[in-house]
């Protein structure tokens, strides 16, 4: 939790959290005095306050686990619900923590002693928060610097750190403040980064799951006497369902009102409100604590515990509704260059096999940057095969469940790649954001891991190296079958558009700068992949060191070599629609780049695939890089027969020819495939968003 978020201008999730919190408190305050209670001596003010704070809060850790387990944690609605739940939970706890200081005003009659106690608790709590927020980072940073990652933690520093945390968490409790809320306030303001904090979080999680929660459930069962739950009385059930209705209506109404003001759709807002109903362990502890202190009577306490359990049973059904609605509204192709918002940065997953891919990868990143605004975010990812030797060198990272490689060769390789990219970005830091990641897996599971990583990072384009390595003489080696298997699997299942870079010759290995002269060509024949490649070329055209040429292959129907019948009768309408989309896409590109003289343009009128092959051969020595679409089999006239070689059919007909070992071409080839969905969904809309 980040307490400083309350000092910033409210974001979307904080507004939803505030709205749901306020509406639930208001509804509880309005209804509670009218509820029937078994005990006549119940203080209505204390009861209303207790119910308001209990029902308005959210068990954020329970909600987060439910949303993650139900596989919507990475969606926009899932992230919004998690962040709103965390903020709602934090605000309810903060209100309770501050309100506890003034509790003696309502419980004790001696005004002078009460004021002394309140002032003493308030000053102690303030001192504790200041020490935890301002002074503890210096102490913990010193401990972290003295104990860097990879070295054993010194025992004296560890004991000193734990003692420091214990003192910080308990100092307010020495003056009458609640030890539980004192620990919460201290933990809220202690820094979360660093080795000591990670270690404490890891150990506390183990302690909670192994010891605390079982004992907590035992304590709750021991404190509650279910024989005193008057199930035969109608007032009991009226009270239970009223409390449940307060939680549901308060959360949903508040979330809907706050979200509509932000421009959200009400069905998604209602779903978020129902998810924010979830309660956690603290809410159960709080009502049992109120029972033991006489603020609640037994029937009300049992009713609240039942309501807390009922507040999460509907979650799977709500999530099912969210998924069904998303399937109706989700766009057909979301993670593509074609569907990328012009005001959003382009996210690329740039994969490498090793340091030998550095020159071409940095050049590819350089020419992909486009305009400085909105910019480019590149996730440089190492593809490391998990061998038996590396498996023995795996170790669990301290404080987390992540596995790290301790093999020195892998560490050195990653450091070399990181330093190369970081120095490149430092020299050319104009619109490029760099992040690092790696995939350590067997070849069988590497494609799946890359797919999961691409989905997590929400990238629009994956760029992969060719499975064959370029030799010093410009030829390729025999290649790594495992990497070819990964590439082919990604082409079938990638969650976004994908490109494969085939290095040829030595021109693309030379560093591209703003003052260099790099000749890049794009071959446009038609189809989804060619349109995606054209959009990528539009980003390349903005680079001042690149001279871009568009070569469009058009079918010459007047030639005597042209086939008499172009398409089957059943495919004529489909081909006409594709040609219309091609013309629209190319016209837009022409007006943006070619008409103004930024990009050169040439047309090739061809009759069949034989002339296509001859034209491709004529490009020898003219360009450093050639961009092509992988292409499906719709363009059967100009590419028919090109796949007869089938050396690497996964590269498409044009890409396979240009990258073939028997083809005399010293230009590097970038083959791009637009994101393909497995199947079409009914009722799709292109504007799916929670906004």
């Amino acid at each position: 939790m980040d307490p400083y978020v309350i000092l910033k201008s409210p974001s979307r999730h904080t507004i939803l959290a505030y709205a749901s919190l306020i509406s639930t408190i208001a509804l509880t305050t309005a209804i509670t005095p009218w509820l029937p209670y078994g005990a006549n001596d119940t203080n209505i003010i204390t009861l209303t306050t207790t119910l308001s704070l209990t029902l308005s809060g959210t068990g954020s850790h329970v909600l987060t686990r439910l949303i993650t387990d139900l596989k919507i944690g990475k969606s926009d609605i899932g992230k919004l619900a998690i962040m709103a739940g965390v903020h709602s939970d934090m605000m309810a706890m903060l209100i309770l923590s501050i309100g506890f200081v003034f509790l003696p005003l309502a419980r004790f009659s001696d005004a002078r002693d009460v004021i002394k106690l309140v002032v003493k608790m308030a000053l102690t709590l303030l001192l504790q928060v200041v020490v935890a927020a301002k002074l503890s980072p210096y102490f913990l940073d010193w401990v972290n610097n003295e104990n860097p990652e990879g070295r054993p933690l010194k025992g004296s520093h560890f004991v000193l750190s734990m003692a420091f945390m214990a003192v910080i968490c308990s100092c307010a409790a020495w003056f009458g403040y609640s030890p539980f809320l004192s620990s919460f306030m201290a933990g809220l303001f202690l820094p979360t980064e660093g080795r000591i904090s990670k270690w404490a979080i890891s150990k506390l999680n183990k302690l909670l799951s192994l010891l605390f929660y079982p004992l907590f459930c035992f304590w709750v069962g021991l404190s509650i006497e279910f024989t005193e739950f008057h199930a035969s009385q109608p007032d009991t059930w009226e009270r239970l369902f009223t409390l449940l209705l307060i939680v549901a209506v308060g959360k949903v109404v508040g979330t809907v009102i706050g979200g509509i003001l932000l421009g959200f759709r009400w069905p998604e807002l209602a779903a978020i409100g129902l998810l924010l109903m979830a309660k956690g362990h603290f809410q159960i502890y709080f009502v049992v604590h109120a029972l033991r202190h006489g603020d609640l009577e037994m029937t009300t306490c049992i009713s609240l515990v039942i309501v807390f359990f009922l507040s999460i049973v509907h979650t799977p059904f709500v999530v099912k509704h969210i998924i069904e609605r998303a399937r109706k509204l989700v766009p057909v192709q979301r993670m593509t260059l074609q569907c990328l918002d012009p005001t959003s940065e382009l996210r690329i997953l740039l994969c490498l096999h090793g340091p030998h891919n550095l020159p071409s990868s940095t050049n590819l990143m350089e020419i992909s940057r486009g305009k400085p605004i909105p910019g480019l975010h590149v996730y440089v990812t190492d593809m490391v095969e998990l061998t038996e030797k590396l498996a023995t060198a795996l170790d669990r990272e301290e404080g987390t469940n992540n596995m790290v490689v301790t093999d020195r060769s892998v560490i050195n390789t990653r450091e070399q790649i990181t330093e190369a990219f970081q120095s490149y970005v430092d020299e050319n830091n104009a619109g490029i954001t760099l992040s690092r990641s790696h995939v350590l897996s067997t070849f069988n599971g590497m494609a799946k891991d890359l797919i999961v990583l691409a989905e997590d990072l929400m990238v629009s384009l994956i760029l992969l190296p060719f499975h064959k390595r370029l030799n010093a003489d410009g030829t390729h080696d025999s290649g790594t079958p495992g990497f070819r298997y990964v590439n082919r699997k990604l082409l079938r299942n990638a969650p976004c558009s994908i490109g494969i870079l085939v290095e040829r010759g030595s021109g693309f290995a030379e560093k591209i700068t703003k003052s260099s002269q790099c000749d890049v060509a794009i071959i446009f024949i038609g189809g989804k992949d060619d349109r995606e490649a054209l959009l990528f070329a539009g980003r390349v055209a903005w680079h001042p060191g690149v001279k871009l040429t568009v070569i469009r292959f058009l079918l010459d129907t007047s030639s005597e070599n042209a086939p008499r019948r172009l398409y089957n009768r059943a495919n004529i309408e489909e081909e006409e629609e594709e040609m219309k989309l091609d013309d629209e896409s190319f016209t837009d590109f022409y007006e943006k780049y070619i008409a103004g003289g930024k990009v050169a343009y040439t047309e090739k009128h061809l009759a069949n695939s034989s002339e296509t092959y001859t034209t491709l051969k004529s490009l020898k020595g003219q360009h450093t890089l050639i961009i092509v679409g992988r292409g499906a089999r719709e363009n059967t006239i100009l590419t028919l027969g090109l796949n007869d070689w089938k050396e690497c059919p996964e590269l498409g007909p044009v890409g396979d020819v240009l990258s073939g070992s028997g083809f005399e071409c010293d230009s590097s080839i970038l083959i791009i495939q637009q994101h393909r969905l497995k199947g079409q969904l009914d009722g799709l809309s292109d504007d799916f968003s929670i906004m």
Side-chain angles (χ1 to χ4, degrees):
M1 294 181 178
D2 179 18
Y4 302 103
V5 73
I6 61 176
L7 304 177
K8 304 174 184 177
S9 58
S11 58
R12 297 186 302 173
H13 64 272
T14 56
I15 291 176
L16 292 183
Y18 292 146
S20 65
L21 201 71
I22 293 172
S23 64
T24 308
I25 291 176
L27 192 62
T28 307
T29 304
I31 295 179
T32 298
W34 305 97
L35 289 176
Y37 298 100
N40 296 325
D41 56 347
T42 303
N43 188 316
I44 194 64
I45 297 178
T46 304
L47 177 65
T48 303
T49 305
T50 302
L51 292 180
S52 297
L53 293 176
T54 306
L55 299 178
S56 62
T58 300
S60 59
H61 61 295
V62 175
L63 177 62
T64 302
R65 176 58 62 88
L66 287 171
I67 289 179
T68 304
D69 290 346
L70 294 171
K71 310 298 183 184
I72 64 166
K74 296 166 188 171
S75 64
D76 54 357
I77 190 172
K79 292 177 181 178
L80 193 61
I82 289 174
M83 290 188 291
V86 170
H87 198 76
S88 176
D89 196 7
M90 183 184 70
M91 291 304 300
M93 292 284 287
L94 276 176
I95 294 172
L96 179 61
S97 301
I98 297 172
F100 191 90
V101 174
F102 304 98
L103 187 63
L105 295 175
R107 288 196 168 181
F108 302 101
S109 57
D110 191 344
R112 181 176 299 178
D113 293 339
V114 167
I115 293 175
K116 285 183 179 180
L117 182 60
V118 169
V119 172
K120 192 184 298 182
M121 283 196 300
L123 292 177
T124 309
L125 183 63
L126 180 62
L127 178 63
Q128 172 183 294
V129 169
V130 170
V131 172
K134 301 300 181 182
L135 298 182
S136 61
Y138 295 103
F139 172 74
L140 294 179
D141 286 344
W142 172 76
V143 175
N144 292 326
N145 293 333
E146 291 292 320
N147 299 271
E149 297 285 353
R151 294 184 182 179
L153 187 65
K154 295 179 182 178
S156 58
H157 290 169
F158 167 72
V159 173
L160 195 61
S161 301
M162 293 298 103
F164 177 79
M165 288 186 180
V167 171
I168 292 296
C169 290
S170 60
C171 61
W174 296 339
F175 297 92
Y177 191 72
S178 169
F180 303 100
L181 298 178
S182 176
S183 299
F184 168 76
M185 292 295 287
L188 187 64
F189 288 94
L190 280 171
T192 57
E193 299 298 327
R195 189 175 182 185
I196 292 294
S197 298
K198 288 182 180 179
W199 186 93
I201 292 171
S202 174
K203 297 304 178 184
L204 285 174
N205 284 335
K206 291 182 180 179
L207 178 66
L208 289 173
S209 59
L210 293 177
L211 182 63
F212 179 80
Y213 286 149
L215 290 177
F216 172 77
C217 293
F218 177 78
W219 175 77
V220 171
L222 196 64
S223 302
I224 293 179
E225 186 62 52
F226 278 93
T227 57
E228 297 184 21
F229 183 70
H230 304 295
S232 59
Q233 298 181 7
D235 291 349
T236 300
W237 297 105
E238 178 185 345
R239 192 182 321 164
L240 189 152
F241 287 111
T242 302
L243 293 172
L244 183 61
L245 191 65
I246 289 174
V247 179
V249 174
K251 290 293 183 182
V252 171
V253 170
T255 305
V256 169
I257 293 175
I260 287 178
L261 295 177
L262 295 172
F264 292 1
R265 292 191 177 95
W266 74 265
E268 282 78 15
L269 292 169
I272 292 177
L274 291 173
L275 293 176
L276 291 178
M277 287 176 57
K279 307 299 178 188
H281 302 83
F282 179 77
Q283 282 78 19
I284 297 177
Y285 161 77
F286 187 57
V287 297
V288 175
H289 180 78
L291 171 68
R292 292 165 66 91
H293 285 77
D295 297 328
L296 288 178
E297 45 90 24
M298 185 63 71
T299 303
T300 304
C301 179
I302 296 175
S303 299
L304 284 169
V305 172
I306 295 174
V307 167
F308 295 159
F309 282 107
L310 293 177
S311 67
I312 62 173
V313 296
H314 63 278
T315 304
F317 303 100
V318 175
V319 172
K320 181 182 178 182
H321 167 75
I322 292 173
I323 295 174
E324 289 177 349
R325 180 171 170 80
R327 283 177 176 170
K328 294 179 180 179
L329 299 176
V330 68
V332 175
Q333 292 183 333
R334 184 177 182 182
M335 306 312 294
T336 64
L337 299 178
Q338 182 179 352
C339 298
L340 181 68
D341 185 353
T343 62
S344 301
E345 65 179 3
L346 172 62
R347 298 185 177 189
I348 293 179
L349 190 69
L350 183 59
C351 302
L352 294 87
H353 296 162
H356 60 278
N357 297 131
L358 277 173
S360 58
S361 297
T362 51
N363 284 337
L364 197 55
M365 179 179 68
E366 172 66 22
I367 66 174
S368 305
R369 67 166 65 198
K371 297 180 181 179
I373 299 175
L376 175 70
H377 196 147
V378 180
Y379 298 89
V380 180
T381 305
D382 305 320
M383 300 170 64
V384 183
E385 181 192 5
L386 180 60
T387 61
E388 293 182 2
K389 179 182 177 182
L390 286 183
T392 59
L394 292 178
D395 194 11
R396 189 175 298 278
E397 185 179 12
E398 190 171 10
T400 68
N401 293 322
N402 298 330
M403 301 300 294
V404 294
V405 182
T406 58
D407 185 86
R408 181 47 54 185
S409 62
V410 176
I411 294 175
N412 291 339
T413 299
R414 295 203 71 226
E415 290 177 351
Q416 181 182 350
I417 294 174
T418 301
E419 291 174 1
F421 273 96
Q422 192 59 55
S423 62
Y424 190 89
V425 172
D426 292 341
E427 294 175 5
N428 307 272
N429 190 19
I432 296 181
T433 304
L434 183 67
S435 299
R436 288 286 280 127
S437 61
H438 75 282
V439 170
L440 177 64
S441 178
T442 61
F443 286 133
N444 285 332
M446 189 175 292
K448 182 178 179 181
D449 290 343
L450 284 170
I451 290 171
V452 172
L453 181 62
E455 290 175 341
D456 290 343
L457 301 177
M458 299 183 70
V459 299
S460 298
L461 181 63
I462 300 175
L463 294 176
L464 297 166
F466 193 42
H467 68 277
K468 294 182 179 181
R469 185 170 178 173
L470 187 66
N471 297 321
D473 59 356
T475 61
H476 287 118
D477 62 10
S478 57
T480 306
F483 283 126
R484 184 182 186 185
Y485 171 78
V486 172
N487 290 357
R488 297 176 75 169
K489 200 168 183 180
L490 282 171
L491 286 169
R492 291 194 300 269
N493 303 301
C496 59
S497 296
I498 186 169
I500 297 179
L501 178 63
V502 181
E503 296 183 63
R504 303 203 66 168
S506 58
F508 201 58
E510 298 178 2
K511 185 177 180 180
I512 299 176
T513 63
K514 294 181 180 180
S515 58
S516 63
Q517 188 65 39
C518 178
D519 290 315
V520 178
I522 172 173
I523 298 175
F524 185 84
I525 300 176
K528 296 178 181 179
D529 295 343
D530 282 32
R531 294 195 293 270
E532 191 78 354
L534 193 66
L535 288 169
F536 181 81
R539 299 186 66 90
V540 176
W542 284 101
H543 197 283
V546 172
K547 179 184 176 183
L548 180 65
T549 302
V550 178
I551 306 172
R552 187 175 188 184
F553 288 5
L554 295 172
L555 182 64
D556 186 4
T557 55
S558 62
S559 173
E560 34 181 61
N561 294 327
R564 295 181 178 276
R565 187 170 183 176
L566 302 181
Y567 309 107
N568 295 328
R569 190 179 300 275
N571 296 331
I572 290 179
E573 293 184 2
E574 181 181 346
E575 292 297 334
E576 289 179 348
E577 183 65 26
E578 279 292 305
M579 292 172 63
K580 180 181 178 182
L581 293 174
D582 291 340
D583 291 338
E584 290 176 355
S585 178
F586 195 84
T587 300
D588 182 62
F589 184 89
Y590 189 96
E591 293 174 352
K592 286 182 178 179
Y593 305 104
I594 300 176
K598 186 184 291 290
V599 175
Y601 173 59
T602 181
E603 289 183 358
K604 301 290 184 181
H605 294 268
L606 311 173
N608 49 44
S609 59
S610 176
E611 294 185 8
T612 301
Y613 182 82
T614 303
T615 305
L616 293 176
K617 288 189 67 175
S618 68
L619 300 177
K620 178 183 177 181
Q622 296 184 28
H623 307 285
T624 304
L625 175 69
I626 299 177
I627 304 172
V628 299
R630 179 174 179 259
R633 299 193 176 224
E634 289 86 5
N635 302 304
T636 54
I637 305 303
L638 296 181
T639 60
L640 182 65
L642 291 182
N643 263 340
D644 291 347
W645 287 270
K646 289 187 179 180
E647 187 173 337
C648 293
E650 67 271 16
L651 301 180
V654 177
D656 187 24
V657 169
L658 291 173
S659 62
S661 57
F663 193 81
E664 296 181 0
C665 178
D666 53 2
S667 303
S668 295
I669 316 298
L670 178 62
I671 300 98
I672 293 180
Q673 172 187 278
Q674 192 180 63
H675 177 210
R676 285 169 166 75
L677 290 184
K678 291 287 186 178
Q680 303 293 325
L681 300 174
D682 294 332
L684 297 177
S685 173
D686 288 334
D687 61 343
F688 175 69
S689 170
I690 193 168
M691 293 297 293

